Every structure is written in structure tokens, then in C-alpha cells.
Amino acid sequence: MATTSSMFMYSLTIQPPSSVTQAILGQFAGTKEQQIVTASGSRLTLHRPDPVQGKVTTILSHDVFGIIRSLAAFRLAGSSKDFVIIGSDSGRITIIEYLPAQNKFSRLHLETFGKSGIRRVIPGQYLAVDPKGRACLIASIEKNKLVYVLNRNAQAELTISSPLEAHKPQTLVFALVALDAGYENPVFAALEVEYGESDQDPTGQVYDELEKTLVYYELDLGLNHVVRKWSDAVDRTATILFQVPGGSDGPSGVLVCGEDNITYRHSNQEAFRVAIPRRQGATEDPQRKRSIVAGVMHKMRGAFFFLLQSEDGDLFKVTLDMVEDDSGQPTGEVKRLKIKYFDTVPAASSLCILKSGFLFAASETGNHHFYQFEKLGDDDEEVEYDSEAFPSDPSESYTPVYFHPRPAENVNLVESIDSMNPIMECKVANLTEEDSSQIFTICGTGARSTFRSLRNGLEVSEIVESELPGTPDAVWTTKLTRNDEYDAYIILSFSNGTLVLSIGETVEEVTDTGFLSSAPTLAVQQLGDDGLIQVHPKGIRHIRADRRVNEWPAPQHRSIVAATTNERQVAVALSSGEIVYFEMDADGSLAEYDEKREMSGTVTCLSLGEVPEGRVRTQFLAVGCDDSTVRILSLDPDSTLENKSVQALTSAPSALSIMAMADSASGGSTLYLHIGLYSGVYLRTVLDEITGELSDTRTRFLGPKPTKLFRVSVKGQTAVLALSSRPWLGYSDPQSKGFMLTPLNYAGLEWGWNFSSEQCTEGMVGIQGQNLRIFSIEKLSDNLIQESISLSYTPRQFVRHPDQPIFYVIESDNNVLSPATRNRLQNDPSVVNGDAAVLPPEDFGYSRGKGHWASCIHVVDPISTKSAVHRIDLEDNEAAVSVSTVSFASQDDETFLVVGTGKDMVINPRSSTCGFVHVYRFQEDGKELEFIHKTKVEEPPLALLGFQGRLLVGIGVDLRIYDLGMKQLLRKAQSQVVPNLVVGLSTQGSRIIVSDVQESVSFVVYKAQDNRLIPFVDDVISRWTTCTTMVDYETVAGGDKFGNLWLLRCPQKASDEADEDGSGAHLIHERQYLQGAPNRLSLMCHVFLQDIPTSIHKTQLVTGGRDVLLWSGLQGTLGILVPFVSREDVDFFQTLEQHLRSEDAPLAGRDHLIYRSYYVPVKGVIDGDLCERYSLLSSDKKQLIAGELDRSVREIERKISDMRTRVAY
């Protein structure tokens, strides 16, 4: 990277892409349990379906820094573990295995066969594995096929052979699948077209007569080469193949799926063909043909079936009938092919059927679904069609068949997995007045599209909320004996007394527990094997198992102000500033240490850690005083209460907690001291287990209230609950073991404690005002909470009301009937009863109609009602394409909603009858819209923007300024500023940044005294712009449709000249440069992100954080670019990135630097996602890199985590 760049950004992913391109099933951990591996962009994710709870949990997500094109699972004969083969853009075939003990993917083989990048003739697009795990075939779209033989050596390790070639030039492959040939030679089937002759024929006649063929390739294991065994012509519309079981399970062969038909083919069998049933209904087009887009084959004992899905989402069950011999056994010869309607689920990119009776559907758009099979559709009323009614010759015609869709009967949705794919646009705003902003996005397509609000936090599930007689100060739970599994009592402390509740089937008050009820409580602890301790201001009460009570009274005229306990030790602080320390004797009684230790100031808080395994005491006592210090005192018998170390703080400590937590730097667990201050700051510092020294302090501001800290247990790990103005949880990230501090999506609590009962083994109990709340945290893997509001059609853009927390979303869908047309067809008198049923569109989609548009404007309130509050449908085949809020100076600066629409639009080639600009007035605080008028324009206006009290519109290549009139908009100025099509506008002052669909951005200045729009800077590179934003007055950030993000800067001289007062004549007469503007933009930063940016904003994500660039990607990605402040940080991260490129090379064999420079060499951007992989390295590699950087491992991890936590989550 050229270090001469003056601007550096740190690129981070906040939310990884959620669109699944492929999902495969297998026993990757080597146990009986099946897991799912999914590919999303460059990420490989392992999911564990839990058949008991009906949930899918993510175990591992790994960024391979390369484009995953194909995945396949395979296992060697006789083994119990599945491996994964990856076909990627690295020009290499990769075989990986999952290591459950270390929870990581390990690469076994990496074999190079071609150039990198996605090319027509480089294999990697198609991947098929022999069902017996003996060979795999990796193929390109054109010409090349390579077969690798897989085997094991004497040490039972996986081996891979040299590739065997099966190339055929001028041949296009449409689909590839492995045949199930049992233990005979492996056979692969491909759908191919030879285009050699049609290339030479200019008349196009050969092209019309071209045949698509099904070709079998056989790997002869004896001779070790591949032969083209058999080929036959199939339906020319065929696009997808499915393997039919062979050997002892079935007849072998393939299902060939084309438009409107499915055919069974095999080299030694007859062909059998069935039609794909079409939907029947009042609004359905009876002539529309369906194709199969996804499917899955499932084998059961002695039987198998296919579930094939059409593009509408309808699942069809396809089965084969065999010819039987005299004894009733199937002979392996096919008799007929049968198809029937099964159920409807959203259109999927992959379907997986689990042995436990579940169906995982990775949806093309929107949430992924996890279904449970209720039944297999054998005994329902659906009509079954078989191949005897249809000719097997693909050229012969037949009568189409129909079915009535119905709500799902055979599968039942058990979990919907959040997916924001595709994100059409996002905005950032702090509408709830919290300490961090919320991200609002519009995602999805069709009737399954949603408006989602995301905020940083962990999802909390509340178990109980009950009101108490008074307002308690604190709450504890305790067991009765050390070996109890669950808590027995909840103890509540009030200002004038203590209440004890017993935990059982119900929670009720108990009085005979030995606890002192007339005084408030400071601490409760289960001591030794079976004792209980209650610390109150006047003393310590030790309750034995037989209800005998020993009382230690506080010295006269002094009271206890702070206390801390563990199962063997107690320390209390008196109002005089003295510390009294007790330890448990062998007979279970408390013994006071002879000397009291006087502290310099008043003690505000104390903490003892848990007693380590196999020890009799914890070594250290932490003492916080009001002179803003924390002291560590030794509890060693030789040096009891001696000072070990001291740490000065910015404010008095309000809470302390010593606890051991998992640590990524050491690989094990480390002792930490957590400190909460009265100023609302939280600190976490490492406590040396031998010397008691404090080091490596990290701080975070939690809120304006004093911080309280409590030790809790979540998902089997020790965590810290920090309470300020809202509750936070500090825990170790399940995957990277790095420390995370995340707010809980819950009411502000005054006190909290761990809670464990039969119904809720890992919960927490808290006090909020007069309420007692018991809650638990279900998952730690996702720290963004999503709330969804359903929309009607695919959202295109949205804007926020200038003052109110309300958004306006424009939605439109192509080739979909509008509500008016649908109603007209449904109310037609000729409609038969069965056809009139109206099914919910979010499950079944809308009725299609070529050339039709359905479009509407929704008013969405995500804060108070959390719903869409108003809807306006557009008539006359108009579709909304752009939206903006504009305040018109001529109307006393009143703000209006302006919507641009197109009539009768055709997407490709681009055409339309005309466009309109609609103007709406806000009513009811923006919750309703009143239509004022619409203005006809030549083309759909794809960009709208308020500009100096008027409206700026991009129509085709023109930029226009309009003002609001009584009957329509009035044109004030016009200029042609871009070569192709205006797609975006942004402005500061009188400067306008105009995005062109394929020619990057141009800077335009508006000269009011001449009423002219003058372009003065444009770009040297054709960038296919998708989104832009102004970073400052001279700089613009944008994204293009190939997945790049870039920052461009206008030369200072050109910028100053454009802003000179006067008419702008000097700009008009300046000499043009290469048919463009007189000046050129310079490139500051450039990076490839592997997702198409749909919006980009300069914003703050956390209060007090730096400004960052937040971008959203089409596949559901959210990422940020953080500017570096110091040159020293840039050098550090650049060096770290270089080391990680070599020490942690990408899994699929892609070169990281070349990957990030896919189209243009990466410039001025450091990949934070790669840097964050540092914490996942083995400890010797960490030490090696730390040595090279001349830093400690902890220091490096702290710098990496600070880069994220200071600006984002």
C-alpha cells in the first residue's frame, strides 16, 4: 500500500452478510448430530440445529477473505466425519474440516489448478462429490472440468490425487451433479450446450436448432482416467439436475428440471416426464410457466422422495414408482414419475432436510426459516399427477395441470432466523434518546419486506415481574448448603428491615429463617458447608444449619458501611474507616483477625474474589475509598491486610468485583478487578494473581448514574452485570473470547443478583423501583437487536420527517398486479368458488402480471406504535422511484414530502411513458399525508433533493430546479451535467454532488445571479455509482455496483475558484478536459468489500464517539470506515495487517491483498476484520507477532478492541 496517502481508514464489519448462497448438511463434528454449513459472501458459518428446542444456533463464523462459489460435503467410506470442499475465486480447491475441540476450521488440502478471480474457464463454479466419497468434480462454466480422487493413506489421513482432466472446448455447463452409482465407477452428470457451430453461423439458424444435452462422465478407477460415457438431448429450457438414489436404494439417474416440466433420465432407462402444476386462482395467469429453482432429495428406509420448489415458493413432492418382480420386490426399473403439491414456503436458495425431521430453508430474501415436518403429505386430498399422462419427448405439447395453493399442512415453522438481505437503504438516528444511535433499514422483497430498527444490546427474556409492598434497596439469592443445585431464598433489604422469600413452586414470605428482619441487610452469603451469613449495619449474624445464631456486634458508636463475602471469608468496613477481616475455622465458625486495618479515607466498597479451586482462601481484598483510590490488600497469613498495590481513579469507586474470566490473550482464564465509579465509568483491570499488581486498564462510560457491579453466570460463563442508567453485561465473546460490554434491552435496574431455580437455571433477579424482576439472557452471539415492521412491496427508498420520529417509505414491485386490478379480477362474476380464495401474500407472494407495477407510500412509526400507520397506493401503473422532504421558501419554509414516480416503466432496456413528481403535505404531526398535486416530466425522476428552499430534481441527464406553484411545480433552472443518468444528489451550500449511473460523480455549482448550474469537477474513472455522501465540503464517499467503496477529493484550487463571487463566467469559459469538466477528482481511499453498498452515511454510532462512515450492503452487511487520527496508529495497524496476511493466510487460499484490490489496488484502507482475527490465533503465533511489533499481546489486543469499542459496538 502506498504509505504516501494522506488519509487512512480502518474498515470494520458491524453485521456480517446474512444472504445465504448455499447451505450444506453433514456430520462435521464427527458425532451423530447433523450440522449445517452456509456460505454468505466471503463467510463460512457453521450452525447447529437443536431438534429439542427447535432452534438453530451459530457455532462458528469464519471469514475466508475470498468469494465462496460452491460448497460440498463428503465423507470417506467407513468414516463418521464429513469434510467440506470449497470452490472459491482463488483458483484452488480447498478441503477443510471442523475441529470441535478448538471450535475452528482447519485446512487439510489446498491444490492450485488455475488463475485467481471469477473467470469463465477457471473451475470453481460447479462442484459435485461422489456419494461414496471417492472423487469430486470441480468445473467451470465453460470448457474445463477437473476430477480429484479422494482417498486415505496408511495413517488414515485424507489424501487427494493429481487432477484428471475432462475438458471440452466451446461447451457451456448449466448444471452438474454426481450420480449415485453405488460401488461401481463414479459417474458425474452435466447439462451442456456446445456453441461452436452457432458461433460460426451469422444467420442464427444453428442457434435456433441448438440442443441441450445431458452428458455422463465416468471416472474409471482402474485406469485412472475420465471418459465421456453417454449423452442425450434434453429439454432446451432445463437448468437444474437432482441426483436419484442408486445402488440398493433406487434406480440411479437424474431428474432434469426445465420450464414447466420435470423429466427422469438415465442411460439404461426410459424417459419419464411430468408437468409442474400451475397455480389456479382468479388473479393467476393460466399461461404462466413455472421453473424449479431449488430442491432436496431425502432417503428413508427403503424409500426416497424429492421436494422441489418453484419460483413462487411452492414445494412439490416428487416420487418414483418401480416395476416389481413376482415376489413384490422392486427391480430397479422405473415404472412412473409422480408429482403432487406439498406446501408453500418462501423461495429458497438451498433446502436441507435433517434426519431429525426438520427442514432448513435458506431464503433468497428475508428471514431464513426452520420448519418441522408434521407429516409427509401421503394421506392428503391433493391430486397426484403421474408421467403416464404426459409424453416423454420434450418437443411434444401437453395439457397443463393446476392446483389450488393452501396454508401449510405438512410443515410447521418453528424458528425464523433474522436476515436483513437485501438491505435497500439505511439511516442512522437517535430517536429514543439513548446513549447510542439506532440504525433504521428497509430490507427484503415483495410482501416479505420489512422496515427494521437495530440497536446495540442483548435480547432479554423476562420470566417474572411482581410488585413489592415497598421500594427495596437491594436483593440477594442464596442456597442453604454448598451442594444445593438451586437457590432457596430471595432476600430483599428495605431501608427499615429485611424480607425473606422462599423459592419453590411459588414464591412466598418465610419468617423462621434466622435472618434479622428488623434491620436492613448489607450482604448475604452461604458460608462453609451449611451456614448462612447476614451482614447488617450493627453486626454480622452467622446462622448454623440447626438454626443456632452467632452474632458479632459492631464496636460501640460505629456501624458497618460496606461488606464483602465469599464461601470462606468475610470482610467489613466500619464507619470509622477500619477494616475487620474474618476467616472460617475448621469447625465452621467465623474467626476475627486480631488487627484492624485503618484506611486513609471513608471506605465506599470492598470485594473478595471467589475462593480458587483447592485453596482455603482468596489472596486479595480490594478496598475502594472516597479519596478516589482502590487498594489491593493481601490476605496471606504472613502478611494479612498489608498493602500490595494501589490505583488512582478519576472519581470515587462505587463498586468493586474481583472475578476470573476467560481471556483471549492468555488462552485460559485471568483474574480481573472490575471497578465502577460514582461518575458512571466502568473500568476493568488485570489483577496479577501472585503480586497483586494492577495492569492493562480499560474504561467505558456507561451512563450518568453511579455504577454498581454484580457477578452473574450466563451461558455457563462468569459475567459481570454493570448497572448505571441502564443495565450492561460484560462477558467473553463465545467465539473470540474477547471481552465484550453490551447494554441489555431492558428497564434500568437499581440492583441485580444471580438467580437459579428449576424453571430457570441461569437467570438474574433485579429491582426496578417497586418491582422485582427475574430474567435471563438467551444468546450472547448477536449484539444487535432487530425489531421488524412489515411492508407491502419491495422498499426502494425512505426519508425521515424533519422533526418527528416518523419515516416515509416508497415501495414498488414490477410484474405484480396492483390492488385495484386484483380486486377487479376477484370480484369478476365468472370466478368459481375455489378460485376466489385470497391467500396471505407474505406467505404466497402476489399474483404476477407482465408489465404491471404495484406501488405505495407507507408512513412508518418505529417508536410509539411500531407499525405502519398510513398507506397511499399509486394508481395508473405508476411506481415510486425517489422520495425526499423539501422545505419551500415560497411557502414560509413549510416542509413537504416529494415523491418521484415513473409510468409504465420497463427496466431493461430502460423505457417509460413519462414520469411524475407528486407533492404531499404533512398532517397529524406527519402521521398522514395529504396529496396536493403532481407534475408531469419526461422521464422518471430518480433523484430528488431540497436545495436552498427549492427542489432539485435529476431527470435523465438533466438537473433541474423547481419551485412549488398552486397547480404544479414551476421549472426555474435546468442544465445537462452528466453523460448518462442522474441517480443521486447531495449538497452543501451552493455546491451539488451529482452521481451518474456509470460515470462516477460530478461537482456542480449553482450561481444564483445567472440562475445557472455549472459542472466544474468530475472523475477519471467510470464508476457505476450506487450511493454517495459528502464527507466534508471537498470530499465525497461512495460505493459502486461491483462492491467497492471509495473516497474522492476535489482539488483545493478548483474548489476555491468555484466558490468565487460573481456570475460563474470564468467557470463556463474554462477549457474542457477530455470532453468533461475542466478539473478532475483525486482518489483518496479505495477498498473492495464484496457486497454492493446501497447507502453510506457520515454519522456517530456511540455518544461521544468519532464520526465514522457507516455503509449498508445489499446482502445484509453493515460496516464502518473509521478515520485514523495518528500516524503512529496507521503504522502499527499496517504492520499488524502484513503479519496477519502471512501468519493467518485466508482459509480458501485467496491472497488477502489481491482480494481487497479486486478492481483497483487497495488504497488508504486497513482491514479491521483481518486485524480482529489476531485474537483467534494460537498463543505462539500471537507471541511471534507481538515480538515483531515490540508490544505485549495484551497491548495489541487492547488496541484492536479499542478501535471498535470507541466508535461502534
Side-chain angles (χ1 to χ4, degrees):
M1 185 191 294
T3 46
T4 50
S5 176
S6 60
M7 184 178 204
F8 281 90
M9 305 293 249
Y10 185 75
S11 151
L12 271 179
T13 305
I14 292 182
Q15 175 165 296
S18 51
S19 79
V20 172
T21 47
Q22 198 182 346
I24 57 170
L25 195 60
Q27 295 167 344
F28 302 109
T31 56
K32 286 277 176 66
E33 191 177 64
Q34 287 182 303
Q35 288 95 12
I36 298 168
V37 169
T38 60
S40 321
S42 65
R43 268 177 202 269
L44 207 58
T45 312
L46 182 75
H47 308 270
R48 177 176 164 263
D50 185 340
V52 184
Q53 293 184 321
K55 281 191 162 54
V56 178
T57 49
T58 303
I59 303 177
L60 173 62
S61 178
H62 187 117
D63 197 331
V64 303
F65 298 109
I67 299 170
I68 302 171
R69 302 167 72 186
S70 51
L71 288 178
F74 83 97
R75 74 169 62 181
L76 293 167
S79 83
S80 62
K81 183 170 186 175
D82 285 333
F83 300 104
V84 182
I85 306 185
I86 307 173
S88 69
D89 62 343
S90 61
R92 301 165 167 192
I93 185 169
T94 317
I95 301 184
I96 61 167
E97 72 169 323
Y98 171 61
L99 303 175
Q102 295 150 329
N103 189 27
K104 67 171 198 179
F105 288 124
S106 156
R107 188 166 70 203
L108 300 175
H109 286 288
L110 184 67
E111 297 293 324
T112 307
F113 52 68
K115 291 180 179 173
S116 62
I118 293 182
R119 305 163 194 257
R120 273 202 320 188
V121 292
I122 301 294
Q125 189 64 33
Y126 300 109
L127 187 58
V129 176
D130 173 57
K132 295 283 186 268
R134 297 168 297 175
C136 74
L137 190 154
I138 187 163
S140 59
I141 291 176
E142 188 181 333
K143 184 182 170 188
N144 293 332
K145 295 184 188 65
L146 297 172
V147 176
Y148 286 90
V149 180
L150 304 163
N151 214 326
R152 54 158 73 88
N153 61 14
Q155 286 78 43
E157 292 165 344
L158 175 72
T159 60
I160 187 167
S161 71
S162 308
L164 304 169
E165 297 183 356
H167 301 340
K168 189 153 193 284
Q170 299 187 326
T171 303
L172 297 173
V173 178
F174 286 81
L176 180 75
V177 72
L179 248 65
D180 189 347
Y183 282 105
E184 305 207 341
N185 281 334
V187 179
F188 299 93
L191 272 181
E192 296 183 352
V193 167
E194 283 187 47
Y195 67 82
E197 288 179 12
S198 71
D199 247 12
Q200 310 301 323
D201 171 41
T203 63
Q205 187 181 346
V206 177
Y207 173 76
D208 295 334
E209 293 166 2
L210 260 186
E211 284 188 332
K212 191 172 278 187
T213 51
L214 175 66
V215 185
Y216 279 10
Y217 291 92
E218 183 180 17
L219 165 67
D220 191 320
L221 289 169
L223 298 172
N224 202 27
H225 72 152
V226 185
V227 288
R228 192 180 162 107
K229 186 181 177 189
W230 174 79
S231 75
D232 199 6
V234 293
D235 182 5
R236 188 159 171 193
T237 60
T239 52
I240 192 165
L241 296 174
F242 292 101
Q243 163 196 350
V244 177
S248 58
D249 301 320
S252 189
V254 290
L255 289 186
V256 183
C257 303
E259 192 176 65
D260 207 40
N261 70 85
I262 300 168
T263 314
Y264 168 76
R265 297 301 306 261
H266 193 34
S267 54
N268 60 2
Q269 302 258 12
E270 301 271 320
F272 295 95
R273 184 161 80 136
V274 291
I276 300 171
R278 304 177 189 178
R279 284 189 185 183
Q280 194 162 0
T283 55
E284 293 291 342
D285 173 10
Q287 299 309 312
R288 186 162 79 85
K289 297 179 175 180
R290 313 301 204 270
S291 303
I292 297 296
V293 294
V296 59
M297 180 267 293
H298 187 63
K299 279 196 267 196
M300 299 174 299
R301 285 193 193 88
F304 61 89
F305 65 89
F306 294 86
L307 284 186
L308 305 182
Q309 188 181 40
S310 72
E311 71 261 46
D312 292 338
D314 300 324
L315 287 174
F316 299 101
K317 183 176 176 182
V318 177
T319 49
L320 291 166
D321 278 1
M322 309 285 199
V323 176
E324 293 180 349
D325 59 17
D326 302 336
S327 61
Q329 293 297 315
T331 58
E333 192 182 328
V334 179
K335 186 166 149 193
R336 64 170 77 88
L337 180 66
K338 298 193 295 195
I339 187 167
K340 71 195 277 194
Y341 172 58
F342 186 74
D343 263 337
T344 300
V345 302
S349 58
S350 284
L351 296 166
C352 299
I353 296 179
L354 281 72
K355 286 180 182 160
S356 49
F358 288 88
L359 170 70
F360 175 74
S363 305
E364 282 185 0
T365 66
N367 289 359
H368 308 304
H369 285 177
F370 192 52
Y371 296 92
Q372 185 164 18
F373 283 102
E374 300 289 324
K375 55 187 203 307
L376 291 176
D378 297 327
D379 48 359
D380 54 15
E381 311 293 300
E382 291 296 332
V383 187
E384 191 162 55
Y385 300 104
D386 67 34
S387 53
E388 289 169 6
F390 305 97
S392 60
D393 182 1
S395 58
E396 286 185 45
S397 61
Y398 51 84
T399 318
V401 290
Y402 296 93
F403 73 97
H404 281 121
R406 53 160 170 74
E409 289 175 1
N410 299 309
V411 292
N412 168 32
L413 180 64
V414 287
E415 194 191 11
S416 179
I417 301 150
D418 278 337
S419 162
M420 293 177 52
N421 156 52
I423 296 185
M424 306 303 276
E425 198 180 352
C426 87
K427 300 224 183 300
V428 181
N430 192 354
L431 302 184
T432 53
E433 303 299 321
E434 286 176 5
D435 51 9
S436 63
S437 303
Q438 300 89 53
I439 301 172
F440 297 95
T441 64
I442 44 176
C443 355
T445 58
R448 294 181 69 229
S449 49
T450 50
F451 179 99
R452 299 197 187 202
S453 50
L454 286 99
R455 33 203 270 264
N456 179 30
L458 290 171
E459 199 55 77
V460 172
S461 51
E462 184 166 82
I463 298 155
V464 179
E465 181 194 358
S466 63
E467 203 169 331
L468 297 166
T471 306
D473 304 326
V475 61
W476 293 269
T477 60
T478 180
K479 304 173 181 178
L480 285 179
T481 70
R482 178 189 293 185
N483 302 327
D484 284 2
E485 200 175 334
Y486 303 121
D487 293 327
Y489 294 151
I490 295 178
I491 296 101
L492 293 158
S493 168
F494 296 86
S495 55
N496 56 359
T498 297
L499 181 69
V500 182
L501 307 173
S502 77
I503 306 169
E505 291 298 314
T506 58
V507 172
E508 55 217 13
E509 185 180 346
V510 282
T511 50
D512 58 344
T513 55
F515 279 91
L516 182 69
S517 59
S518 58
T521 301
L522 295 173
V524 173
Q525 173 74 41
Q526 191 275 317
L527 191 81
D529 288 334
D530 52 9
L532 292 174
I533 286 274
Q534 177 193 13
V535 182
H536 54 91
K538 288 293 167 207
I540 301 174
R541 204 173 166 89
H542 183 189
I543 305 158
R544 294 297 189 89
D546 52 10
R547 297 290 157 89
R548 283 183 306 155
V549 174
N550 293 346
E551 182 92 37
W552 178 86
Q556 275 187 331
H557 312 303
R558 280 174 273 183
S559 61
I560 298 174
V561 291
T564 177
T565 60
N566 64 28
E567 64 220 35
R568 297 186 61 89
Q569 296 157 288
V570 178
V572 296
L574 304 178
S575 50
S576 58
E578 291 170 306
I579 288 176
V580 190
Y581 170 62
F582 302 84
E583 229 175 82
M584 196 178 76
D585 275 355
D587 63 349
S589 61
L590 274 184
E592 180 184 346
Y593 178 68
D594 307 337
E595 292 174 34
K596 298 183 175 65
R597 166 77 194 257
E598 273 201 50
M599 303 305 284
S600 53
T602 309
V603 176
T604 56
C605 48
L606 299 167
S607 175
L608 285 163
E610 292 289 300
V611 180
E613 197 72 38
R615 299 272 184 96
V616 291
R617 66 177 68 80
T618 179
Q619 296 284 343
F620 302 113
L621 169 67
V623 183
C625 300
D626 64 356
D627 57 359
S628 299
T629 59
V630 168
R631 288 182 168 76
I632 301 295
L633 306 184
S634 165
L635 298 180
D636 219 18
D638 309 333
S639 58
T640 311
L641 300 186
E642 277 184 21
N643 220 6
K644 281 285 192 184
S645 63
V646 62
Q647 170 138 5
L649 306 167
T650 53
S651 142
S654 57
L656 295 173
S657 178
I658 297 177
M659 62 172 90
M661 290 179 80
D663 174 30
S664 60
S666 67
S669 81
T670 301
L671 203 60
Y672 289 105
L673 171 63
H674 303 266
I675 308 170
L677 306 186
Y678 276 100
S679 58
V681 171
Y682 159 85
L683 298 93
R684 168 174 164 260
T685 172
V686 175
L687 175 61
D688 190 297
E689 296 181 31
I690 292 147
T691 63
E693 290 293 323
L694 296 172
S695 61
D696 188 31
T697 307
R698 312 208 183 168
T699 57
R700 180 86 178 259
F701 176 63
L702 302 187
K705 282 187 175 177
T707 308
K708 297 193 183 92
L709 303 174
F710 304 97
R711 174 199 174 101
V712 293
S713 157
V714 180
K715 292 281 170 217
Q717 60 159 290
T718 307
V720 57
L721 178 69
L723 305 179
S724 177
S725 51
R726 63 194 267 205
W728 296 69
L729 188 75
Y731 57 96
S732 301
D733 180 78
Q735 204 175 314
S736 70
K737 298 289 178 273
F739 184 71
M740 308 271 285
L741 192 64
T742 309
L744 301 182
N745 182 26
Y746 206 52
L749 301 172
E750 277 97 54
W751 195 275
W753 204 260
N754 219 25
F755 177 84
S756 176
S757 73
E758 276 184 66
Q759 292 79 14
C760 162
T761 48
E762 277 194 324
M764 296 172 217
V765 57
I767 298 169
Q768 182 239 333
Q770 268 202 338
N771 294 334
L772 183 74
R773 291 170 176 250
I774 298 174
F775 58 92
S776 69
I777 293 166
E778 294 302 324
K779 63 175 188 183
L780 298 175
S781 54
D782 197 7
N783 65 351
L784 281 177
I785 297 168
Q786 297 187 15
E787 288 180 352
S788 295
I789 297 167
S790 292
L791 302 173
S792 299
Y793 307 113
T794 306
R796 302 294 171 180
Q797 279 184 17
F798 72 131
V799 290
R800 187 190 156 192
H801 189 287
D803 315 313
Q804 305 293 333
I806 288 176
F807 291 91
Y808 304 92
V809 185
I810 56 165
E811 304 158 37
S812 58
D813 265 328
N814 192 11
N815 294 341
V816 166
L817 300 181
S818 66
T821 317
R822 284 206 299 272
N823 292 341
R824 196 181 72 242
L825 290 168
Q826 270 155 359
N827 301 330
D828 192 337
S830 64
V831 171
V832 198
N833 290 343
D835 293 351
V838 180
L839 293 161
E842 51 273 18
D843 296 331
F844 294 89
Y846 292 109
S847 304
R848 308 286 181 110
K850 198 158 174 57
H852 289 262
W853 283 87
S855 183
C856 70
I857 304 164
H858 257 127
V859 182
V860 176
D861 178 351
I863 302 301
S864 51
T865 65
K866 300 196 175 182
S867 64
V869 292
H870 184 59
R871 167 176 170 169
I872 297 173
D873 278 299
L874 299 179
E875 308 288 333
D876 301 335
N877 214 27
E878 276 185 59
V881 292
S882 55
V883 63
S884 183
T885 53
V886 181
S887 65
F888 285 102
S890 57
Q891 303 288 321
D892 300 332
D893 286 338
E894 186 188 344
T895 306
F896 294 85
L897 184 76
V898 183
V899 177
T901 67
K903 185 171 160 61
D904 305 329
M905 289 193 295
V906 178
I907 301 292
N908 193 14
R910 198 172 63 241
S911 70
S912 59
T913 316
C914 61
F916 292 96
V917 182
H918 296 236
V919 181
Y920 296 90
R921 180 178 263 123
F922 296 125
Q923 304 284 5
E924 309 282 333
D925 281 343
K927 291 203 169 109
E928 287 188 13
L929 296 173
E930 176 198 359
F931 176 67
I932 297 177
H933 57 60
K934 66 180 185 181
T935 309
K936 186 173 177 179
V937 291
E938 306 83 46
E939 282 186 58
L942 295 179
L944 302 170
L945 185 68
F947 175 70
Q948 298 182 354
R950 297 193 285 188
L951 171 66
L952 198 61
V953 186
I955 300 170
V957 295
D958 293 334
L959 192 59
R960 294 182 188 170
I961 295 178
Y962 282 95
D963 207 342
L964 190 64
M966 296 295 287
K967 297 272 178 67
Q968 64 169 37
L969 292 169
L970 311 169
R971 192 189 317 182
K972 298 293 183 189
Q974 170 173 345
S975 173
Q976 182 180 333
V977 294
V978 295
N980 301 297
L981 182 68
V982 177
V983 290
L985 296 168
S986 43
T987 179
Q988 278 186 28
S990 58
R991 178 170 299 179
I992 305 157
I993 312 282
V994 185
S995 321
D996 181 77
V997 68
Q998 71 181 64
E999 289 292 342
S1000 191
V1001 294
S1002 302
F1003 282 41
V1004 176
V1005 64
Y1006 174 64
K1007 294 293 183 187
Q1009 85 185 55
D1010 273 14
N1011 194 25
R1012 294 188 76 153
L1013 293 155
I1014 310 164
F1016 64 96
V1017 183
D1018 59 17
D1019 198 4
V1020 283
I1021 293 179
S1022 304
R1023 303 180 197 280
W1024 293 69
T1025 319
T1026 54
C1027 59
T1028 52
T1029 187
M1030 290 184 78
V1031 181
D1032 58 38
Y1033 193 57
E1034 264 95 32
T1035 317
V1036 62
D1040 64 36
K1041 73 169 193 180
F1042 299 109
N1044 300 299
L1045 265 191
W1046 27 265
L1047 269 87
L1048 302 170
R1049 184 164 284 172
C1050 169
Q1052 190 65 45
K1053 181 165 171 274
S1055 175
D1056 295 343
E1057 278 177 10
D1059 288 344
E1060 282 174 15
D1061 291 344
S1063 65
H1066 60 293
L1067 294 175
I1068 299 164
H1069 300 308
E1070 201 167 347
R1071 190 163 64 92
Q1072 286 193 342
Y1073 179 64
L1074 300 177
Q1075 286 88 45
N1079 300 292
R1080 290 289 176 267
L1081 295 163
S1082 55
L1083 179 68
M1084 303 300 295
C1085 296
H1086 197 289
V1087 66
F1088 172 74
L1089 296 162
Q1090 220 239 292
D1091 198 352
I1092 301 171
T1094 52
S1095 64
I1096 181 165
H1097 299 283
K1098 180 183 168 189
T1099 181
Q1100 274 184 7
L1101 284 180
V1102 292
T1103 310
R1106 290 213 297 278
D1107 276 353
V1108 296
L1109 287 176
L1110 173 91
W1111 61 274
S1112 67
L1114 190 73
Q1115 301 173 30
T1117 321
L1118 290 173
I1120 53 172
L1121 291 175
V1122 190
F1124 278 106
V1125 178
S1126 73
R1127 184 78 221 188
E1128 184 193 348
D1129 279 355
V1130 174
D1131 294 341
F1132 170 80
F1133 280 102
Q1134 262 182 336
T1135 321
L1136 176 65
E1137 191 184 31
Q1138 282 164 4
H1139 284 298
L1140 282 166
R1141 277 178 186 150
S1142 56
E1143 295 298 333
D1144 184 41
L1147 191 68
R1150 188 84 167 106
D1151 184 300
H1152 176 268
L1153 180 64
I1154 299 174
Y1155 167 69
R1156 288 290 180 212
S1157 314
Y1158 229 106
Y1159 296 93
V1160 173
V1162 64
K1163 179 177 183 185
V1165 178
I1166 288 166
D1167 188 354
D1169 294 341
L1170 180 66
C1171 295
E1172 287 190 342
R1173 285 197 54 77
Y1174 178 78
S1175 63
L1176 300 170
L1177 295 177
S1178 59
S1179 54
D1180 50 342
K1181 279 193 176 173
K1182 281 186 190 173
Q1183 293 289 355
L1184 179 79
I1185 294 175
E1188 293 282 339
L1189 289 166
D1190 203 14
R1191 310 256 176 148
S1192 70
V1193 173
R1194 248 185 229 298
E1195 218 176 328
I1196 296 175
E1197 294 204 342
R1198 179 161 127 204
K1199 274 185 99 71
I1200 294 169
S1201 88
D1202 279 357
M1203 279 307 285
R1204 184 183 278 272
T1205 53
R1206 281 186 186 159
V1207 293
Y1209 341 108

